[in-house]
């Protein structure tokens, strides 16, 4: 997915969360609602998360140097992982603590009861708009996959992170609205506390899901099945060249490391012919997969136990 699309969704979420956080804090100061405080902290955490994503995107664009010879693309994964930590601690755990405390010392909403309801309804509309922006940007890359499949397969973290945050925000706002309305209707502050607790559980679950997926990217995920297929086809296209084995790893969302061992059929091939064959193979890989920024090819002489591996992983032989 393009950085432009991810940044558009980030800025939309940043503006929405910043404005909403101010309104929620105002409503909390007037009503002392536990759900409003939990939602206020939630919006502050989300605002900080958008800033982290923007910092990660900028840091990833630094040029490779002697200390980081493969570049800085993984900064986008690192900062996205920090987002999950902030969501878990500042958002989820704080909301759970606030809900637990107010459950044991409940109090109703005696004054300005209409303020949190108006703020929450308005916040739902604003967060919903932010979610729709992220959803629109993601449609071009989601294809026919389910949303869960898309979130788990995505190599760029920004849009999935924003979509999860916005979805959690809208759901959390609905939970807070239920808690506030029931508190106003019944006069029982435990409804407000329950709303805060439910928001905490929601944020913890989303944060854990996000952390697991980003951790996988940090460790180093291989290319998608479709990208792997295109690379294999690009190698096997040239006559006299066969693929022995292939390894890929994302150095960043838009940077793919490709390491391949190929077989050359003629034992008497000259060094010049071998170099030409390797260069042609590299060019075809880059034409087939624009993300293949770094391609390393090791040649070997064809033997009967080497078979073309188009469409399936090869038996691996290491020298």
């Amino acid at each position: 997915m393009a950085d432009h699309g991810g940044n558009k969704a980030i800025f939309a979420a940043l503006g929405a969360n910043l404005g909403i956080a101010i309104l929620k804090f105002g409503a909390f100061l007037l009503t002392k609602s536990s759900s409003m405080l939990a939602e206020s902290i939630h919006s502050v955490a989300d605002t900080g998360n958008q800033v982290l994503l923007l910092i990660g995107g900028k840091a990833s664009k630094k040029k490779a140097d002697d200390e980081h010879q493969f570049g800085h693309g993984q900064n986008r994964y690192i900062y996205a992982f920090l987002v999950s930590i902030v969501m878990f601690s500042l958002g989820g755990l704080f909301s759970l603590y606030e809900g637990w405390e107010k459950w044991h010392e409940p109090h109703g909403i005696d004054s300005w009861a209409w303020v949190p309801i108006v703020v929450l309804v308005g916040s739902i509309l604003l967060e919903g708009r932010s979610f729709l922006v992220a959803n629109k940007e993601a449609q071009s890359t989601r294809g026919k996959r389910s949303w869960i499949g898309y979130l788990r397969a995505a190599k760029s973290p920004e849009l999935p992170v924003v979509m999860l945050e916005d979805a959690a925000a809208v759901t959390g706002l609905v939970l807070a609205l239920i808690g506030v309305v029931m508190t106003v209707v019944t006069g029982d502050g435990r409804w407000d506390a329950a709303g805060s607790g439910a928001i905490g559980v929601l944020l913890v679950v989303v944060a854990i899901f996000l952390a697991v997926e980003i951790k996988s990217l940090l460790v180093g995920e291989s290319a998608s099945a479709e990208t792997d297929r295109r690379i294999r086809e690009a190698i096997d296209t040239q006559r006299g060249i066969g693929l022995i084995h292939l390894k890929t790893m994302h150095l960043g969302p838009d940077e793919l490391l490709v390491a391949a061992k190929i077989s050359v059929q003629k034992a008497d091939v000259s060094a010049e012919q071998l170099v030409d064959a390797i260069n042609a193979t590299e060019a075809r890989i880059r034409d087939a997969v624009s993300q293949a920024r770094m391609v390393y090819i090791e040649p070997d002489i064809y033997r009967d136990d080497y078979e073309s591996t188009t469409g399936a992983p090869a038996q691996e032989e290491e020298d």
Side-chain angles (χ1 to χ4, degrees):
M1 71 187 59
D3 289 345
H4 172 73
N7 284 341
K8 183 177 180 180
I10 292 173
F11 281 117
L14 177 61
N17 286 321
L18 183 58
I20 290 171
I22 295 172
L23 291 175
K24 288 177 181 176
F25 265 122
F28 163 71
L29 292 174
L30 289 173
T31 64
K32 305 302 180 181
S33 166
S34 177
S35 293
M36 289 307 304
L37 179 58
E39 274 300 310
S40 299
I41 298 301
H42 180 188
S43 291
V44 170
D46 282 353
T47 302
N49 288 341
Q50 315 314 319
V51 174
L52 285 174
L53 292 177
L54 291 172
I55 293 173
K58 183 176 182 179
S60 70
K61 295 178 181 178
K62 293 180 180 178
K63 294 183 179 180
D65 50 43
D66 291 338
E67 190 174 3
H68 303 92
Q69 297 180 354
F70 287 103
H72 298 261
Q74 289 183 322
N75 272 306
R76 289 168 70 179
Y77 298 149
I78 292 171
Y79 280 87
F81 189 79
L82 291 177
V83 166
S84 69
I85 296 175
V86 172
M87 185 184 297
F88 180 85
S89 56
L90 187 58
L93 294 185
F94 178 85
S95 298
L96 287 172
Y97 169 77
E98 182 68 16
W100 174 265
E101 184 180 38
K102 292 299 172 63
W103 181 268
H104 290 84
E105 295 182 12
H107 60 78
I109 301 176
D110 301 324
S111 60
W112 301 95
W114 58 273
V115 172
I117 296 175
V118 171
V119 169
L120 288 171
V121 171
S123 298
I124 290 172
L125 295 177
L126 289 174
E127 288 286 6
R129 180 181 179 279
S130 176
F131 178 77
L132 290 177
V133 171
N135 178 74
K136 183 178 179 181
E137 295 299 327
Q139 286 292 350
S140 60
T141 55
R142 184 170 74 94
K144 297 181 179 179
R145 291 175 293 182
S146 66
W147 281 115
I148 293 296
Y150 167 73
L151 293 173
R152 300 198 63 182
K155 306 301 182 183
S156 297
E158 289 81 6
L159 272 178
V161 168
V162 172
M163 289 185 65
L164 281 172
E165 282 188 345
D166 287 346
V170 173
T171 305
L173 286 165
V174 171
L175 294 172
L177 182 61
I178 293 173
V180 169
V181 169
M182 291 302 297
T183 299
V184 171
V185 171
T186 65
D188 188 349
R190 285 179 295 181
W191 281 102
D192 191 27
S196 179
I199 293 168
V201 172
L202 171 69
L203 294 180
V204 165
V205 171
V206 172
I208 291 174
F209 175 85
L210 182 60
V212 170
E213 295 304 315
I214 300 299
K215 179 188 74 70
S216 179
L217 292 169
L218 273 173
V219 172
E221 285 191 359
S222 61
S224 66
E226 174 61 22
T227 299
D228 184 273
R229 181 190 63 78
R230 295 204 304 268
I231 294 173
R232 292 175 183 275
E233 288 183 351
I235 294 174
D236 279 329
T237 297
Q238 185 171 342
R239 185 175 181 182
I241 297 294
L243 177 61
I244 300 172
H245 66 73
L246 172 69
K247 293 183 183 295
T248 60
M249 186 176 74
H250 271 275
L251 301 173
D254 305 314
E255 300 174 69
L256 186 65
L257 170 65
V258 178
K261 186 171 185 178
I262 63 172
S263 63
V264 182
Q265 288 189 350
K266 294 183 179 180
D268 59 346
V269 65
S270 68
E272 183 177 358
Q273 290 173 320
L274 180 58
V275 170
D276 289 342
I278 291 174
N279 289 339
T281 302
E282 289 182 2
R284 289 196 309 275
I285 291 173
R286 289 191 171 94
D287 287 341
V289 179
S290 61
Q291 296 171 322
R293 305 287 179 84
M294 299 182 183
V295 181
Y296 297 97
I297 296 178
E298 177 188 356
D300 201 348
I301 301 300
Y302 177 81
R303 299 202 304 265
D304 290 339
D305 58 338
Y306 289 168
E307 296 181 357
S308 175
T309 59
T310 300
Q315 68 174 45
E316 297 192 355
E317 176 173 313
E318 303 287 351
D319 288 342

